[in-house]
Amino acid sequence: MYKKVIIIISIVLFGACSIFMGCGKKEEIKDPEIKKQMKLIDEMKIKRENRTRELKEMDGSKLVQDLSNESQRGLEPFNSMAYKEAVSRGSKVVSELSSALKLTEKPFLLGLLALRTINLDEYKKLEPGFRIKPLIDALESAKFFNAFGVPHLYWEEAAKAIIEEGEGAKEYLVPLLKNTRLAPVWGSEGTITNKIYQYRVCDYAWKMLLDIDKKEVEVSQDASVRDSLFSEYTEK
Amino acid sequence: MYKQKPVPFLFFILGMCLFLLMSCGTPTVPCGTFTFTGTPVVSGLSVSVSFDFDAGECGETCTCDTIVYIQIARAYDLNTGNFLAPTSEYTNRMVTGRTPECLNGWMLDRLDGRVWGYYGRNNNGSFAGSLTPGDNTTTAVLLDTPSGWPDETMLDFVTVPVCIDDDAACFNDLLGYYYWWFFIASGGSVSFIDKIAVEWHRDAVDESVVEWNNDAPGLGKNVFPAMSPM
């Protein structure tokens, strides 16, 4: 009798507790906004897994084509699923990648950066101008500059690739010192910083020139102060 | 002997109730009051999150002279389901491979080149204009303008006030969790929603801090101390 009473009390208690708490996902899903978002998260997972599978199953040439497509979309290396897949294949994709790059008139950014990451020797076999020009074109035409970084804080791979060209990159960077088009980044805290500095294409070029020359200069928040320092390169 | 068996069973049931209580997706209880304002901007949202600390709302007492924030963020490319990040460092500290799925994709929201994980904190320990520290009588305010994101992106954030006054009884306590998210439709129009975070958001914060702490030493950044909800 005692046992039955305890069991009944326990079951009632458990049921009451569960109902009272409205626990787990069931409770979350009662909120229509959370419900909608949870559904979206599940849909995104399926899409992402499908895209990952599709990329894994691609042959090298199709993958290189997707890299080109994602370059045209303006995706940064760290946001490109095709880039991630190419880098994960390593040496298996090098020959197709370098062949594809050599066949194009204007190599695409993600392809260049993937080759540089996978096999620096193969990347260096490309003609210097063939490597540098597309990187400079990407800098000059970028809508957002996340692929390059923020001049006074950090550089991403695309900027590092330009800087590592050293003297050879200067002839391409100096003309950009006249380019005063604004150079925004998208994001969260970075956008606030970018707004404070009001970076332009010329600021990116200037800071890269300084880094090539290994010069330490404090980057002013005042664009006119930065402009006054450009003469070091423009008056040569 | 026979009569004692049901008692452990009762404890088991009570334990299950406690587990459910702890693991539920129920809203978190902030130790104070959040105020959120959001204004759509081009492909983004201009946001102010304010927090007025009141330990009594959590049945505690604490005098904290410095309340700041940590914030986590997540962004989806709605076309591919891919998680997006503004920088490669964000990508490297992204939470992945966790179960349930809702914990994945989160990243501690901190500008590259900054050594502190606290939002808006400069390397010398001061705070940028985007973060006004609070205390028991002063509102702690976080300003953010996540913007410029690609069309067809969904972003969500959890904003968490934390006491960093080492003389306070609630030193390193997380004082509340606020959740906000927005969609950028094709064409750049923005819609947003905000509310008190639920308990799995708290878990997402914990996982994001773990990832930050994993990467921080190699990047010359400061790891977070052990933190726990108040």
Side-chain angles (χ1 to χ4, degrees), chain B residues 22-120:
Chain B
M22 293 172 71
S23 63
C24 275
T26 50
T28 54
V29 178
C31 304
T33 305
F34 281 105
T35 307
F36 178 93
T37 58
T39 307
V41 295
V42 178
S43 297
L45 195 66
S46 178
V47 166
S48 168
V49 181
S50 299
F51 182 71
D52 292 297
F53 178 47
D54 180 358
E57 292 191 25
C58 293
E60 304 277 348
T61 54
C62 181
T63 301
C64 180
D65 285 343
T66 312
I67 296 168
V68 297
Y69 287 92
I70 61 174
Q71 181 165 279
I72 63 170
R74 175 173 61 177
Y76 283 101
D77 176 342
L78 294 175
N79 291 307
T80 62
N82 193 28
F83 296 121
L84 298 177
T87 77
S88 54
E89 263 191 29
Y90 272 75
T91 303
N92 294 340
R93 64 173 175 262
M94 185 183 289
V95 177
T96 57
R98 306 298 206 276
T99 302
E101 175 61 20
C102 55
L103 297 180
N104 292 320
W106 292 99
M107 306 160 284
L108 198 97
D109 188 10
R110 198 64 248 271
L111 184 63
D112 285 17
R114 294 286 183 257
V115 299
W116 295 98
Y118 303 105
Y119 187 92

Side-chain angles (χ1 to χ4, degrees), chain A residues 6-186:
Chain A
I6 290 293
I7 289 173
I8 290 167
I9 289 172
S10 299
I11 290 169
V12 169
L13 188 59
F14 181 76
C17 176
S18 299
I19 292 166
F20 175 72
M21 295 308 301
C23 271
K25 289 188 175 180
K26 283 182 181 172
E27 197 280 334
E28 287 173 27
I29 292 170
K30 281 179 185 170
D31 181 326
E33 288 160 349
I34 295 281
K35 182 179 177 182
K36 184 179 171 188
Q37 211 222 10
M38 294 297 280
K39 186 171 175 238
L40 181 69
I41 287 171
D42 288 340
E43 288 170 3
M44 290 297 105
K45 183 182 183 218
I46 292 167
K47 274 190 180 182
R48 189 169 62 253
E49 287 174 347
N50 288 343
R51 175 68 177 148
T52 302
R53 194 177 310 113
E54 181 188 26
L55 286 164
K56 287 260 175 242
E57 290 169 358
M58 275 180 190
D59 62 29
S61 60
K62 177 71 173 70
L63 179 61
V64 169
Q65 183 57 49
D66 270 41
L67 264 179
S68 174
N69 294 342
E70 294 199 350
S71 282
Q72 285 175 5
R73 279 182 61 200
L75 283 180
E76 302 78 8
F78 45 87
N79 285 322
S80 163
M81 295 179 80
Y83 179 89
K84 187 178 175 186
E85 173 61 21
V87 169
S88 76
R89 290 191 194 185
S91 57
K92 292 175 191 164
V93 79
V94 165
S95 64
E96 275 146 322
L97 194 49
S98 51
S99 300
L101 289 169
K102 285 170 188 167
L103 285 173
T104 56
E105 282 182 23
K106 188 180 172 187
F108 44 97
L109 184 68
L110 290 178
L112 276 174
L113 295 178
L115 182 61
R116 177 176 168 273
T117 300
I118 296 166
N119 190 323
L120 191 59
D121 290 338
E122 283 296 319
Y123 175 76
K124 293 283 186 189
K125 284 179 187 171
L126 300 171
E127 287 294 318
F130 195 76
R131 296 192 304 257
I132 302 168
K133 187 69 169 50
L135 295 168
I136 297 291
D137 286 348
L139 177 66
E140 194 171 11
S141 62
K143 184 179 174 191
F144 292 99
F145 289 71
N146 299 65
F148 294 91
V150 175
H152 72 288
L153 290 176
Y154 65 94
W155 289 129
E156 294 286 1
E157 289 306 311
K160 289 176 185 172
I162 294 173
I163 293 164
E164 78 181 12
E165 295 289 348
E167 291 296 317
K170 284 186 173 179
E171 64 176 293
Y172 298 94
L173 288 169
V174 169
L176 294 185
L177 293 173
K178 293 176 185 168
N179 189 332
T180 56
R181 184 171 67 87
L182 282 176
V185 295
W186 55 265

Side-chain angles (χ1 to χ4, degrees), chain A residues 184-211:
Chain A
V185 295
W186 55 265
S188 177
E189 212 181 347
T191 59
I192 295 175
T193 300
N194 196 279
K195 276 181 187 164
I196 292 168
Y197 281 79
Q198 290 286 301
Y199 281 127
R200 304 150 302 172
V201 174
C202 54
D203 296 310
Y204 277 77
W206 171 64
K207 187 62 169 64
M208 286 180 199
L209 286 163
L210 289 172
D211 285 2

